Amino acid sequence: MASTETKADAAVRDTYAPGGLEAGLDALEVSATGRRSFGVTFKEKVLPPVIAFAVVLVVWQALISFKVVDDPTKLPSPSDVWGEVKNAWLQGTLLDYIWTSVSRGLLGFLFALVIGTPLGLLVARVKFVRAAIGPILSGLQSLPSVAWVPPAVIWLGLDNSMMYAVILLGAVPSIANGLVSGVDQVPPLFLRAGRTMGATGLRGTWHIVMPAALPGYLAGLKQGWAFSWRSLMAAEIIASSPDLGVGLGQLLENGRNASSMSMVFLAIFLILFVGIAIDLLIFSPLERWVLRSRGLLVKS
């Protein structure tokens, strides 16, 4: 008797054939994580913040035009702030302001990364060390960064070493605590499997613990950068010297001393711009890579 096979039967047979199920899952994964088109990316990632910025500008200008705030010493108009931007650009100082602060912030953050990562591993893996300095790290993380500026000035003087010291004291606790939190969330099964395969000691830390703790570690890095950036701004506002140059924090203080709200707003917007740019260029791609490597980032 000739057997008849329906399309549904053929689909079931192909799915459960050797390699069929794996091929189907692979196809599903490829389609789920495929590269988005420029139009979709522009609509979902670029357009919303542009619209939000435009709304802020409209509301800001409306407050000036309708005399809700008619004192330019309290709220300058967008055109006044834009004129401040053009003047700084024509004088060749705009990029200098940004680079002075960004170079300090990134270099200080790298120092904090080199110190905070092994410190976090040590606290996470050694019980005595955790009991001894774990609470201290948590306390330092809650301490306002500006509190470190006066002692740093007294200890190190008005130079870049003082700036880096304030950044380190602000960022290292966050990086270390983020890594400790990530290590604490590593499933014990991973550690047992690693020991079974001979991944112990430094090898186990590198191949098992660090990859598994990566989400918590990345969260600590992101928070550490935020703390380091805020620490630097506080240091630049409080400690001023011709040898230090003019960063964004010093620009903000110069605007206050000159009673120039347009300069104050320029400094605020530049500080905000740098923070957003670092997040978009460094931390957002890292987060997407971590999510994608764990199969958590799917195309909607």
Side-chain angles (χ1 to χ4, degrees):
M1 181 182 297
S3 60
T4 59
E5 185 179 44
T6 64
K7 292 183 178 180
D9 295 333
V12 172
R13 173 177 54 79
D14 293 339
T15 299
Y16 288 97
L21 182 59
E22 291 82 357
L25 292 175
D26 291 341
L28 179 62
E29 183 179 0
V30 171
S31 62
T33 60
R35 184 178 295 275
R36 297 185 179 189
S37 64
F38 174 78
V40 173
T41 301
F42 179 82
K43 180 180 178 181
E44 295 184 0
K45 300 294 184 181
V46 179
L47 191 58
V50 171
I51 293 176
F53 181 72
V55 170
V56 170
L57 285 181
V58 170
V59 174
W60 183 4
Q61 184 59 52
L63 292 175
I64 303 297
S65 300
F66 294 104
K67 305 297 182 181
V68 178
V69 180
D70 57 356
D71 187 353
T73 62
K74 295 182 178 179
L75 182 65
S77 66
S79 60
D80 291 338
V81 178
W82 179 246
E84 196 73 37
V85 173
K86 290 194 296 185
N87 289 337
W89 175 262
L90 294 176
Q91 293 172 6
T93 57
L94 183 63
L95 295 180
D96 290 338
Y97 297 149
I98 297 174
W99 176 245
T100 298
S101 293
V102 170
S103 60
R104 285 176 183 158
L106 290 178
L107 186 57
F109 180 71
L110 289 177
F111 290 153
L113 183 64
V114 172
I115 297 173
T117 300
L119 180 61
L121 284 174
L122 190 63
V123 172
R125 304 292 286 173
V126 181
K127 292 183 179 180
F128 176 80
V129 176
R130 170 175 290 202
I133 68 174
I136 298 176
L137 285 177
S138 299
L140 289 175
Q141 189 173 356
S142 63
L143 182 68
S145 303
V146 68
W148 290 113
V149 178
V153 171
I154 295 173
W155 293 335
L156 302 173
L158 290 173
D159 55 20
N160 281 322
S161 61
M162 178 273 298
M163 299 285 186
Y164 296 137
V166 174
I167 293 174
L168 289 176
L169 292 168
V172 167
S174 295
I175 295 174
N177 282 328
L179 184 53
V180 170
S181 177
V183 172
D184 288 344
Q185 297 175 24
V186 175
L189 180 61
F190 289 5
L191 302 178
R192 290 197 296 269
R195 287 193 296 267
T196 301
M197 293 183 292
T200 58
L202 293 178
R203 181 177 298 178
T205 299
W206 179 255
H207 293 287
I208 305 297
V209 176
M210 287 298 294
L214 197 55
Y217 181 46
L218 183 57
L221 293 181
K222 192 171 182 179
Q223 189 180 54
W225 162 253
F227 274 52
S228 66
W229 186 238
R230 284 184 288 181
S231 302
L232 176 62
M233 292 301 103
E236 288 185 349
I237 290 173
I238 296 176
S240 61
S241 171
D243 296 334
L244 292 173
V246 180
L248 298 180
Q250 184 59 50
L251 177 65
L252 184 63
E253 181 66 8
N254 289 345
R256 185 190 70 85
N257 292 331
S259 298
S260 173
M261 284 301 297
S262 58
M263 184 181 296
V264 169
F265 269 67
L266 170 62
I268 291 173
F269 287 142
L270 290 178
I271 293 170
L272 182 63
F273 169 77
V274 171
I276 294 173
I278 294 296
D279 182 72
L280 292 178
L281 296 176
I282 297 178
F283 292 107
S284 290
L286 283 176
E287 288 178 336
R288 289 196 299 270
W289 174 75
V290 171
L291 292 175
R292 188 179 294 111
S293 65
R294 284 158 170 75
L296 300 175
L297 185 65
V298 296
K299 182 179 179 180
S300 57

